[in-house]
Amino acid sequence: MSVPILNASGCFDALVAPDVARSLDAFVTKTVTPLPREGNPPPRIAEVDGGMLNSIGLQNPGIDVFVSSILPRLAELDVPIWVSVGGFSADDYAEMCERLDAETRVSVIELNLSCPNVEEAPETAAELVTAARAATTKPLYAKLSPATWDIAENARAVAAAGADGLSLVNTIRGLALDAGTRRPKLSRGAGGYSGPALRPIALACVDACARAVALPIVGMGGVASGGDVLDLVSLGAGAVGLGTILFSDPLAATRIRTELRSPGAPITPAPRHAIHGFTPESAPALAVSTE
Amino acid sequence: MSVPILNASGCFDALVAPDVARSLDAFVTKTVTPLPREGNPPPRIAEVDGGMLNSIGLQNPGIDVFVSSILPRLAELDVPIWVSVGGFSADDYAEMCERLDAETRVSVIELNLSCPNVEEAPETAAELVTAARAATTKPLYAKLSPATWDIAENARAVAAAGADGLSLVNTIRGLALDAGTRRPKLSRGAGGYSGPALRPIALACVDACARAVALPIVGMGGVASGGDVLDLVSLGAGAVGLGTILFSDPLAATRIRTELRSPGAPITPAPRHAIHGFTPESAPALAVSTE
Amino acid sequence: MTDACNSLLLAGREARRQLLAVTVNEPIGPYTLLRLERGGLEPGVPGQFFMLEAPGRTLPRPMSLCQAPRGELAFLVEPIGPGTRALCALEPGAEIHVLGPLGNGFDLDVARPLLVAGGIGIAPMPYLASALGNPPAILGFRTERQAEVGVLLPGAEITVEPRLVTELLPDDPGDVLACGPEPMLEAIRRRVPHAQLAWESRMACGYGACFGCVVERDGWFVRLCIEGPVWREAA
Amino acid sequence: MTDACNSLLLAGREARRQLLAVTVNEPIGPYTLLRLERGGLEPGVPGQFFMLEAPGRTLPRPMSLCQAPRGELAFLVEPIGPGTRALCALEPGAEIHVLGPLGNGFDLDVARPLLVAGGIGIAPMPYLASALGNPPAILGFRTERQAEVGVLLPGAEITVEPRLVTELLPDDPGDVLACGPEPMLEAIRRRVPHAQLAWESRMACGYGACFGCVVERDGWFVRLCIEGPVWREAA
Ligand SMILES: Cc1cc2nc3c(=O)[nH]c(=O)nc-3n(C[C@H](O)[C@H](O)[C@H](O)COP(=O)(O)OP(=O)(O)OC[C@H]3O[C@@H](n4cnc5c(N)ncnc54)[C@H](O)[C@@H]3O)c2cc1C
Ligand SMILES: Cc1cc2nc3c(=O)[nH]c(=O)nc-3n(C[C@H](O)[C@H](O)[C@H](O)COP(=O)(O)OP(=O)(O)OC[C@H]3O[C@@H](n4cnc5c(N)ncnc54)[C@H](O)[C@@H]3O)c2cc1C
Ligand SMILES: Cc1cc2nc3c(=O)[nH]c(=O)nc-3n(C[C@H](O)[C@H](O)[C@H](O)COP(=O)(O)O)c2cc1C
Ligand SMILES: Cc1cc2nc3c(=O)[nH]c(=O)nc-3n(C[C@H](O)[C@H](O)[C@H](O)COP(=O)(O)O)c2cc1C
Ligand code: FES
Ligand code: FES
């Protein structure tokens, strides 16, 4: 079975690892913000049982430098480019989407509405999507947080606001203390919890959203094996994003494709919607059930 | 160091294990609802890496039977009794608190505002607390869900509504599929995710709430060792609740007390508020720092 | 202190919990016979079970006592998932926490006992047979390899699918004591209403704490771990 | 396929990833010398590092190459937490994924090399020394037991606290190549501005993917894994 495999935003830099980038069906950039951000001071990461915490703080050069000097180099890789954008107001999202709308090299814009490491915009997720929608005709994927009582409600809201797809899920806030000092392991205290421990939470979110809206879904959260991909696909995801697994296995996408080719138990995927830029053929939901 | 150790609601039945009940500083009942509930059909539990999922569905005999035939037997155990109540409307919470207000054997009422396995009440958590507050003078502990973008906000809301303390945290919704069939392992699909994997999430919630409100906090979520207790206490918890660990170690409370007595690294606990029913002496926050 | 033997009252009976060392862990067909030092634990009544710590897993796993050699407790484990695989992989000397005995075992006050087991359902039978003076037994398996475990019950009549154990039941089976997959137990219940049947369900705690193991009985969900696992259906 | 040796371009250099078997894992003082079959990996330049899979952990751990025996890669590991303890516990024959070499190593074009290391900072020194023809070296340790690891660098001058390595630096130290705890590196930087220093930070990926390992350089946070770990401070 073949399902598009992307990286999860912020978990991979295509420019430093072009071979790895070409092993992906699309490259998702680290979240870009209107202005350059230096990010949080170290320590920014800490491993915990079953996963890791991060508080990178959206370090990025800002949209100007991104468009002028990074995007052109990404384009040379010849991999579809998804640009993740983040901001602190509806205007921020609108401004960046407008900038990217003109860039033919950008195939999808992912709206990071859910970074646990930065202050939240005053507007609701739906309002941010509305602003972004008005600024571009490119496919818009809304990336949601699992930290909500009823994610289906959020999914319906961003769908109504004009989102073309969903990216599920972002990290959830977590904290770990040093056993010696009982001080937080991260400079910022709490950070985003990712990795295998996030998997059951991600599956519940994908399931809830797939039932709630008819949008294509990029599923992510602890994906590490072909079996994890089958789980997401059978719940309604049309593609998957690899995050934390790329830190231990840069070639995970290739490995997982191999695992998916090996005949396993046939599964019946939930009715899926093709991810933008991928024909249903290239993301053959049916192949899953027929294998 | 000694800190009150309770069980987490729904993770222990004092009547079947009186010895274990007496090893606790207080017994918290499984959530009681106005009417009897048979709960969800099996399978109700599934283990996942780093934790477990449950969808018990609040099986309980209802408040009448609880008060008439269970409470008297619990009282014989001579352990402080916390009654966890849950409902589907503000009236439900009010009614039950009124019933329990007359029961001298009940020392604290815990309001379960956050069970991921049952439909939610139409009112907000704060409205439920307001209704409960009007119905009883007993200490009210609001049990919050980690599935929220900003739990500090919820904490401030329930505090303003009259909650006397917080119980943090409940499970978070998770889902797991059978590897053979790709069908959910639980009859209800998703369930509540608990155990070690929940720990970093619980620590982040306790930290956020302790900074936001001046209420005593019962910390829980993956607690399995004395070190886990020190983590929660140093972030501001005044007591801890043992849940999933009791399934593998019914005597965990006794073991953990021993671990806490063994001299470890001195820690500075956050300013704490004594849990109702426990004098600051019996919950000597200071002992932590002096050890 | 966890190494000490702790005694606690669970559902009105005494159970003990202790860290026990593996003495031998030998494969028998597709199964593994896991032998542990008995420590201070009692073997209990045949059909009762123990909660065994499964290294690396959050929850312990329920296992019926298979044999009670002097100074040991022996469990027959079928590796079907992470927990049982971890138990089958234990090396001699390794230590795991064990809690038990738990639940209601078989009622041994029977005139003409007949043991019936399917697949891993054979687990409690060797201990049960020794308690009843090796009564006749019928064992059913899905494969020849599984059937190798029959050596644990000498003299038992063994059948391998497609023929089912129920087809071997005599017309007057007497007092049937059975353990096995649900379909088999259902079939026996229809044939022998007063049979004693040992059921299974997924368990988190094994002592009535979680309400995870419930099965439906008379229109209400009851906890199999403390009200079962053995039931005489038509008492 | 993961068992194959995969080559990939990382930050402009070729690195390889392969599942490698442990040949020997021997304690030296409080440390462990972990020797792995080399497989298709290149040892790289002294000061470069590899990401080693730590069994049971989510993230791999960065380790400097310590020695490059024929057909092997050897790492000196200090057990300070779950990951390094897992590595120190590896039995011969066990296999782990290894990615590397990564990062910028030491510049070997030096006239009068002097190696300076503190504690586990000795790790890259044996390989570096062999590349430079065993130049003079100064090693500092916190305990006598740690100092036992000095055997890996015959002829090195060894000091144990309270006396610090910096106190042993000659007035004209020449080309200092150093690795050790941050305070030591800071002290050396003050004394020897043009020294080559190998820094540390927590790393999740080791190849520029996570931005977790940043250190501040000229007012911006740069990724130590691809811009370091070795810097000639005043170039
Ligand atoms: C009272 C009792 C006594 C038992 N005695 C024995 C014994 O002596 N020897 C033995 O090998 N096993 C016994 N079992 C079953 C054993 O406990 C399970 O096989 C084990 O818990 C599975 O854990 P796992 O992690 O290996 O597999 P899991 O991943 O937990 O399960 C693997 C598959 O088996 C199913 N499953 C898991 N547990 C059960 C269960 N309890 N009943 C039915 N299906 C289940 C799951 O749904 C899944 O499809 C007993 C169970 C009970 C309740
Ligand atoms: C380029 C590089 C090369 C290295 N080479 C070696 C080597 O050859 N031998 C060796 O034993 N170690 C080496 N290290 C350090 C080693 O990677 C860490 O000790 C290891 O990752 C700790 O993992 P752990 O799970 O054992 O401990 P953890 O629980 O991760 O950490 C234990 C304690 O050490 C601190 N810590 C963890 N990682 C680092 C770090 N990288 N820098 C500073 N403090 C840290 C943590 O904050 C915590 O307080 C190197 C590190 C880097 C960046
Ligand atoms: C180090 C790190 C940095 C991340 N940066 C971003 C980011 O910039 N934007 C974003 O939308 N998500 C970011 N994420 C979240 C991931 O894209 C992904 O949603 C999450 O990690 C869950 O997937 P995983 O469990 O496979 O890692 C980051 C995650 C990690 C671990
Ligand atoms: C089987 C099970 C049943 C539970 N039932 C309840 C309940 O009835 N009421 C409630 O407030 N919380 C309930 N919880 C949540 C626990 O009280 C606790 O908040 C959660 O499990 C986190 O703690 P832990 O990780 O230590 O288990 C239940 C948890 C489990 C595992
Ligand atoms: S297994 Fe927990 S109540 Fe039966
Ligand atoms: S360790 Fe990930 S970028 Fe350096």
Short mmCIF file of all heavy atoms in Angstrom, two decimals, chain A residues 173-175 177, chain B residues 144-146 151-152 155 166-170 198-213 215-221 223 228-241 270-272:
data_model
loop_
_atom_site.label_atom_id
_atom_site.label_comp_id
_atom_site.label_asym_id
_atom_site.label_seq_id
_atom_site.Cartn_x
_atom_site.Cartn_y
_atom_site.Cartn_z
N ARG A 173 1.07 20.07 25.44
CA ARG A 173 1.99 20.62 26.42
C ARG A 173 2.36 19.59 27.48
O ARG A 173 1.51 18.87 28.02
CB ARG A 173 1.36 21.86 27.07
CG ARG A 173 2.39 22.83 27.65
CD ARG A 173 1.76 24.13 28.15
NE ARG A 173 1.56 25.12 27.10
CZ ARG A 173 0.39 25.41 26.53
NH1 ARG A 173 -0.69 24.78 26.90
NH2 ARG A 173 0.29 26.33 25.59
N GLY A 174 3.66 19.49 27.74
CA GLY A 174 4.15 18.57 28.76
C GLY A 174 5.32 19.19 29.50
O GLY A 174 5.91 20.18 29.04
N LEU A 175 5.63 18.64 30.66
CA LEU A 175 6.72 19.18 31.48
C LEU A 175 7.45 18.03 32.15
O LEU A 175 6.85 17.02 32.52
CB LEU A 175 6.14 20.15 32.52
CG LEU A 175 7.11 20.92 33.41
CD1 LEU A 175 6.58 22.33 33.64
CD2 LEU A 175 7.31 20.24 34.75
N LEU A 177 10.81 17.32 35.03
CA LEU A 177 11.76 17.91 35.97
C LEU A 177 13.02 17.05 36.03
O LEU A 177 12.98 15.84 35.87
CB LEU A 177 11.14 18.01 37.36
CG LEU A 177 9.85 18.82 37.49
CD1 LEU A 177 9.41 18.87 38.95
CD2 LEU A 177 10.04 20.23 36.94
N LEU B 144 -10.30 18.48 36.81
CA LEU B 144 -10.24 19.04 35.46
C LEU B 144 -9.58 18.10 34.46
O LEU B 144 -8.79 17.22 34.82
CB LEU B 144 -9.47 20.37 35.49
CG LEU B 144 -10.01 21.44 36.45
CD1 LEU B 144 -9.14 22.70 36.35
CD2 LEU B 144 -11.46 21.75 36.12
N SER B 145 -9.92 18.32 33.21
CA SER B 145 -9.35 17.55 32.12
C SER B 145 -8.10 18.25 31.58
O SER B 145 -8.04 19.47 31.54
CB SER B 145 -10.36 17.43 30.98
OG SER B 145 -9.71 17.01 29.79
N PRO B 146 -7.09 17.47 31.16
CA PRO B 146 -5.91 18.08 30.54
C PRO B 146 -6.18 18.47 29.09
O PRO B 146 -5.38 19.16 28.47
CB PRO B 146 -4.86 16.97 30.62
CG PRO B 146 -5.66 15.70 30.59
CD PRO B 146 -6.96 16.01 31.28
N ILE B 151 -5.37 25.35 30.64
CA ILE B 151 -6.03 24.83 31.84
C ILE B 151 -6.03 25.86 32.97
O ILE B 151 -6.92 25.84 33.82
CB ILE B 151 -5.37 23.50 32.30
CG1 ILE B 151 -6.28 22.77 33.30
CG2 ILE B 151 -3.97 23.75 32.88
CD1 ILE B 151 -5.86 21.34 33.60
N ALA B 152 -5.09 26.78 32.95
CA ALA B 152 -5.05 27.82 33.99
C ALA B 152 -6.35 28.63 33.95
O ALA B 152 -6.89 29.00 34.99
CB ALA B 152 -3.85 28.73 33.78
N ALA B 155 -8.96 26.70 35.62
CA ALA B 155 -8.72 26.71 37.06
C ALA B 155 -9.24 28.01 37.67
O ALA B 155 -9.92 28.00 38.68
CB ALA B 155 -7.23 26.53 37.33
N LEU B 166 -8.43 21.67 43.64
CA LEU B 166 -8.39 21.10 42.29
C LEU B 166 -7.85 19.67 42.35
O LEU B 166 -6.95 19.38 43.13
CB LEU B 166 -7.48 21.93 41.37
CG LEU B 166 -7.83 23.39 41.16
CD1 LEU B 166 -6.74 24.06 40.32
CD2 LEU B 166 -9.20 23.52 40.49
N SER B 167 -8.41 18.80 41.53
CA SER B 167 -7.86 17.47 41.32
C SER B 167 -7.37 17.43 39.88
O SER B 167 -8.16 17.58 38.95
CB SER B 167 -8.92 16.39 41.56
OG SER B 167 -9.31 16.39 42.92
N LEU B 168 -6.06 17.26 39.71
CA LEU B 168 -5.45 17.33 38.36
C LEU B 168 -4.55 16.14 38.11
O LEU B 168 -3.64 15.92 38.87
CB LEU B 168 -4.60 18.61 38.26
CG LEU B 168 -5.28 19.94 38.61
CD1 LEU B 168 -4.25 21.05 38.67
CD2 LEU B 168 -6.35 20.24 37.59
N VAL B 169 -4.77 15.40 37.08
CA VAL B 169 -5.72 15.57 36.01
C VAL B 169 -6.50 14.29 35.77
O VAL B 169 -6.11 13.23 36.25
CB VAL B 169 -4.99 15.92 34.69
CG1 VAL B 169 -4.39 17.31 34.75
CG2 VAL B 169 -3.94 14.87 34.31
N ASN B 170 -7.57 14.42 34.98
CA ASN B 170 -8.30 13.26 34.53
C ASN B 170 -7.57 12.66 33.33
O ASN B 170 -6.54 13.19 32.92
CB ASN B 170 -9.74 13.66 34.14
CG ASN B 170 -10.73 12.51 34.34
OD1 ASN B 170 -10.42 11.38 33.99
ND2 ASN B 170 -11.89 12.82 34.88
N LEU B 198 0.98 9.73 30.66
CA LEU B 198 0.22 10.94 30.99
C LEU B 198 1.01 11.89 31.89
O LEU B 198 0.68 13.08 32.02
CB LEU B 198 -1.09 10.54 31.69
CG LEU B 198 -2.17 11.59 31.92
CD1 LEU B 198 -2.66 12.17 30.61
CD2 LEU B 198 -3.33 10.98 32.70
N ARG B 199 2.10 11.38 32.46
CA ARG B 199 2.81 12.13 33.50
C ARG B 199 3.29 13.52 33.06
O ARG B 199 2.99 14.52 33.74
CB ARG B 199 3.98 11.29 34.03
CG ARG B 199 4.48 11.73 35.39
CD ARG B 199 5.66 10.89 35.82
NE ARG B 199 5.35 9.48 35.91
CZ ARG B 199 6.14 8.50 35.45
NH1 ARG B 199 7.27 8.80 34.85
NH2 ARG B 199 5.80 7.24 35.61
N PRO B 200 3.99 13.64 31.93
CA PRO B 200 4.46 14.98 31.54
C PRO B 200 3.30 15.96 31.34
O PRO B 200 3.41 17.15 31.65
CB PRO B 200 5.20 14.74 30.23
CG PRO B 200 5.58 13.28 30.25
CD PRO B 200 4.47 12.60 30.99
N ILE B 201 2.17 15.45 30.85
CA ILE B 201 0.99 16.29 30.63
C ILE B 201 0.44 16.74 31.98
O ILE B 201 0.13 17.92 32.18
CB ILE B 201 -0.08 15.50 29.84
CG1 ILE B 201 0.46 15.12 28.45
CG2 ILE B 201 -1.38 16.29 29.73
CD1 ILE B 201 -0.45 14.19 27.65
N ALA B 202 0.36 15.81 32.93
CA ALA B 202 -0.14 16.15 34.26
C ALA B 202 0.76 17.17 34.95
O ALA B 202 0.28 18.13 35.55
CB ALA B 202 -0.24 14.88 35.11
N LEU B 203 2.07 16.99 34.82
CA LEU B 203 2.99 17.94 35.45
C LEU B 203 2.80 19.34 34.88
O LEU B 203 2.79 20.34 35.61
CB LEU B 203 4.44 17.49 35.25
CG LEU B 203 4.88 16.23 36.00
CD1 LEU B 203 6.33 15.91 35.66
CD2 LEU B 203 4.72 16.41 37.50
N ALA B 204 2.60 19.43 33.57
CA ALA B 204 2.41 20.74 32.94
C ALA B 204 1.11 21.38 33.46
O ALA B 204 1.06 22.58 33.71
CB ALA B 204 2.38 20.61 31.42
N CYS B 205 0.09 20.56 33.64
CA CYS B 205 -1.20 21.09 34.12
C CYS B 205 -1.10 21.57 35.56
O CYS B 205 -1.59 22.65 35.91
CB CYS B 205 -2.29 20.03 33.99
SG CYS B 205 -2.75 19.65 32.29
N VAL B 206 -0.46 20.77 36.42
CA VAL B 206 -0.32 21.16 37.82
C VAL B 206 0.49 22.45 37.92
O VAL B 206 0.14 23.39 38.65
CB VAL B 206 0.35 20.03 38.64
CG1 VAL B 206 0.76 20.53 40.02
CG2 VAL B 206 -0.61 18.84 38.77
N ASP B 207 1.55 22.52 37.15
CA ASP B 207 2.39 23.72 37.15
C ASP B 207 1.57 24.95 36.75
O ASP B 207 1.57 25.97 37.45
CB ASP B 207 3.55 23.51 36.18
CG ASP B 207 4.51 24.70 36.14
OD1 ASP B 207 4.91 25.17 37.23
OD2 ASP B 207 4.83 25.16 35.03
N ALA B 208 0.83 24.82 35.66
CA ALA B 208 0.05 25.97 35.17
C ALA B 208 -1.02 26.39 36.18
O ALA B 208 -1.19 27.59 36.44
CB ALA B 208 -0.60 25.61 33.83
N CYS B 209 -1.70 25.42 36.78
CA CYS B 209 -2.78 25.77 37.72
C CYS B 209 -2.23 26.33 39.03
O CYS B 209 -2.81 27.24 39.61
CB CYS B 209 -3.66 24.55 37.98
SG CYS B 209 -4.61 24.05 36.54
N ALA B 210 -1.11 25.76 39.50
CA ALA B 210 -0.53 26.24 40.75
C ALA B 210 -0.10 27.70 40.62
O ALA B 210 -0.17 28.46 41.59
CB ALA B 210 0.67 25.38 41.14
N ARG B 211 0.29 28.10 39.42
CA ARG B 211 0.66 29.50 39.20
C ARG B 211 -0.57 30.38 39.08
O ARG B 211 -0.52 31.58 39.36
CB ARG B 211 1.48 29.64 37.92
CG ARG B 211 2.81 28.94 37.95
CD ARG B 211 3.46 28.96 36.55
NE ARG B 211 4.62 28.07 36.51
CZ ARG B 211 5.82 28.42 36.98
NH1 ARG B 211 5.98 29.61 37.49
NH2 ARG B 211 6.81 27.55 36.92
N ALA B 212 -1.67 29.78 38.65
CA ALA B 212 -2.86 30.58 38.33
C ALA B 212 -3.79 30.82 39.51
O ALA B 212 -4.41 31.87 39.61
CB ALA B 212 -3.64 29.92 37.19
N VAL B 213 -3.90 29.82 40.40
CA VAL B 213 -4.85 29.95 41.51
C VAL B 213 -4.21 29.54 42.83
O VAL B 213 -3.26 28.78 42.85
CB VAL B 213 -6.11 29.09 41.28
CG1 VAL B 213 -6.84 29.54 40.02
CG2 VAL B 213 -5.74 27.62 41.19
N LEU B 215 -5.41 27.60 45.15
CA LEU B 215 -6.16 26.47 45.71
C LEU B 215 -5.25 25.28 45.93
O LEU B 215 -4.27 25.09 45.20
CB LEU B 215 -7.29 26.06 44.75
CG LEU B 215 -8.39 27.06 44.46
CD1 LEU B 215 -9.42 26.45 43.51
CD2 LEU B 215 -9.05 27.53 45.74
N PRO B 216 -5.56 24.45 46.96
CA PRO B 216 -4.82 23.20 47.12
C PRO B 216 -5.05 22.29 45.92
O PRO B 216 -6.13 22.30 45.32
CB PRO B 216 -5.39 22.59 48.39
CG PRO B 216 -6.70 23.28 48.61
CD PRO B 216 -6.58 24.63 47.99
N ILE B 217 -4.04 21.53 45.56
CA ILE B 217 -4.10 20.68 44.37
C ILE B 217 -3.76 19.23 44.71
O ILE B 217 -2.75 18.96 45.37
CB ILE B 217 -3.12 21.18 43.30
CG1 ILE B 217 -3.55 22.56 42.77
CG2 ILE B 217 -3.02 20.18 42.14
CD1 ILE B 217 -2.52 23.21 41.85
N VAL B 218 -4.63 18.32 44.30
CA VAL B 218 -4.31 16.89 44.35
C VAL B 218 -3.78 16.54 42.97
O VAL B 218 -4.51 16.61 41.98
CB VAL B 218 -5.55 16.03 44.68
CG1 VAL B 218 -5.16 14.56 44.72
CG2 VAL B 218 -6.17 16.46 46.00
N GLY B 219 -2.50 16.21 42.90
CA GLY B 219 -1.89 15.93 41.61
C GLY B 219 -1.97 14.45 41.28
O GLY B 219 -1.74 13.61 42.14
N MET B 220 -2.29 14.14 40.02
CA MET B 220 -2.29 12.74 39.60
C MET B 220 -2.09 12.64 38.10
O MET B 220 -2.27 13.62 37.37
CB MET B 220 -3.59 12.06 40.01
CG MET B 220 -4.81 12.51 39.26
SD MET B 220 -6.30 11.95 40.08
CE MET B 220 -6.62 13.36 41.12
N GLY B 221 -1.68 11.47 37.67
CA GLY B 221 -1.40 11.23 36.27
C GLY B 221 -0.07 10.51 36.16
O GLY B 221 0.98 11.12 36.16
N VAL B 223 1.49 8.72 38.33
CA VAL B 223 2.34 8.62 39.52
C VAL B 223 2.64 7.15 39.82
O VAL B 223 1.72 6.33 39.93
CB VAL B 223 1.67 9.27 40.74
CG1 VAL B 223 2.50 9.02 41.99
CG2 VAL B 223 1.48 10.76 40.50
N ASP B 228 8.06 10.62 41.43
CA ASP B 228 6.92 11.25 40.75
C ASP B 228 6.17 12.15 41.72
O ASP B 228 5.68 13.22 41.36
CB ASP B 228 5.97 10.18 40.21
CG ASP B 228 6.63 9.28 39.17
OD1 ASP B 228 7.61 9.72 38.53
OD2 ASP B 228 6.18 8.12 39.02
N VAL B 229 6.09 11.72 42.99
CA VAL B 229 5.42 12.53 44.00
C VAL B 229 6.21 13.82 44.22
O VAL B 229 5.65 14.91 44.27
CB VAL B 229 5.28 11.75 45.33
CG1 VAL B 229 4.76 12.67 46.44
CG2 VAL B 229 4.36 10.55 45.14
N LEU B 230 7.54 13.71 44.31
CA LEU B 230 8.36 14.90 44.51
C LEU B 230 8.19 15.87 43.35
O LEU B 230 8.14 17.09 43.54
CB LEU B 230 9.84 14.51 44.65
CG LEU B 230 10.20 13.76 45.93
CD1 LEU B 230 11.68 13.40 45.92
CD2 LEU B 230 9.87 14.60 47.16
N ASP B 231 8.07 15.34 42.13
CA ASP B 231 7.84 16.21 40.97
C ASP B 231 6.57 17.03 41.18
O ASP B 231 6.57 18.26 41.07
CB ASP B 231 7.69 15.38 39.69
CG ASP B 231 9.04 14.94 39.11
OD1 ASP B 231 10.08 15.36 39.64
OD2 ASP B 231 9.03 14.17 38.13
N LEU B 232 5.48 16.35 41.51
CA LEU B 232 4.19 17.04 41.67
C LEU B 232 4.23 18.03 42.82
O LEU B 232 3.77 19.17 42.69
CB LEU B 232 3.07 16.01 41.90
CG LEU B 232 2.61 15.25 40.65
CD1 LEU B 232 1.80 14.02 41.02
CD2 LEU B 232 1.81 16.18 39.74
N VAL B 233 4.82 17.61 43.94
CA VAL B 233 4.87 18.48 45.12
C VAL B 233 5.72 19.72 44.83
O VAL B 233 5.36 20.84 45.19
CB VAL B 233 5.44 17.71 46.33
CG1 VAL B 233 5.82 18.66 47.44
CG2 VAL B 233 4.40 16.70 46.82
N SER B 234 6.81 19.51 44.12
CA SER B 234 7.70 20.67 43.86
C SER B 234 7.05 21.64 42.89
O SER B 234 7.45 22.80 42.80
CB SER B 234 9.05 20.20 43.32
OG SER B 234 8.88 19.55 42.09
N LEU B 235 6.01 21.20 42.20
CA LEU B 235 5.30 22.10 41.28
C LEU B 235 4.08 22.73 41.95
O LEU B 235 3.42 23.59 41.37
CB LEU B 235 4.86 21.35 40.03
CG LEU B 235 5.99 20.92 39.09
CD1 LEU B 235 5.44 20.02 37.99
CD2 LEU B 235 6.68 22.13 38.49
N GLY B 236 3.77 22.26 43.18
CA GLY B 236 2.67 22.91 43.90
C GLY B 236 1.54 22.01 44.35
O GLY B 236 0.58 22.49 44.95
N ALA B 237 1.62 20.71 44.08
CA ALA B 237 0.57 19.81 44.55
C ALA B 237 0.70 19.62 46.05
O ALA B 237 1.81 19.60 46.59
CB ALA B 237 0.66 18.47 43.84
N GLY B 238 -0.43 19.50 46.74
CA GLY B 238 -0.42 19.30 48.19
C GLY B 238 -0.69 17.85 48.57
O GLY B 238 -0.54 17.45 49.71
N ALA B 239 -1.12 17.07 47.59
CA ALA B 239 -1.38 15.64 47.79
C ALA B 239 -1.31 15.00 46.41
O ALA B 239 -1.28 15.70 45.40
CB ALA B 239 -2.75 15.41 48.41
N VAL B 240 -1.24 13.67 46.40
CA VAL B 240 -1.22 12.99 45.10
C VAL B 240 -2.27 11.88 45.07
O VAL B 240 -2.66 11.35 46.11
CB VAL B 240 0.17 12.36 44.80
CG1 VAL B 240 1.25 13.42 44.81
CG2 VAL B 240 0.47 11.24 45.79
N GLY B 241 -2.71 11.56 43.86
CA GLY B 241 -3.66 10.48 43.66
C GLY B 241 -3.00 9.37 42.86
O GLY B 241 -2.31 9.63 41.89
N ALA B 270 7.03 24.20 45.72
CA ALA B 270 6.36 25.47 45.49
C ALA B 270 5.48 25.73 46.70
O ALA B 270 5.08 24.80 47.39
CB ALA B 270 5.52 25.37 44.22
N PRO B 271 5.18 27.01 46.99
CA PRO B 271 4.28 27.31 48.11
C PRO B 271 3.02 26.48 47.98
O PRO B 271 2.41 26.44 46.91
CB PRO B 271 3.99 28.80 47.95
CG PRO B 271 4.50 29.18 46.59
CD PRO B 271 5.57 28.20 46.27
N ARG B 272 2.65 25.75 49.05
CA ARG B 272 1.51 24.85 48.91
C ARG B 272 0.38 25.23 49.85
O ARG B 272 0.58 25.89 50.86
CB ARG B 272 1.93 23.42 49.23
CG ARG B 272 3.01 22.91 48.33
CD ARG B 272 2.65 21.55 47.80
NE ARG B 272 2.20 20.64 48.88
CZ ARG B 272 3.02 20.03 49.72
NH1 ARG B 272 4.31 20.26 49.65
NH2 ARG B 272 2.55 19.22 50.64
#
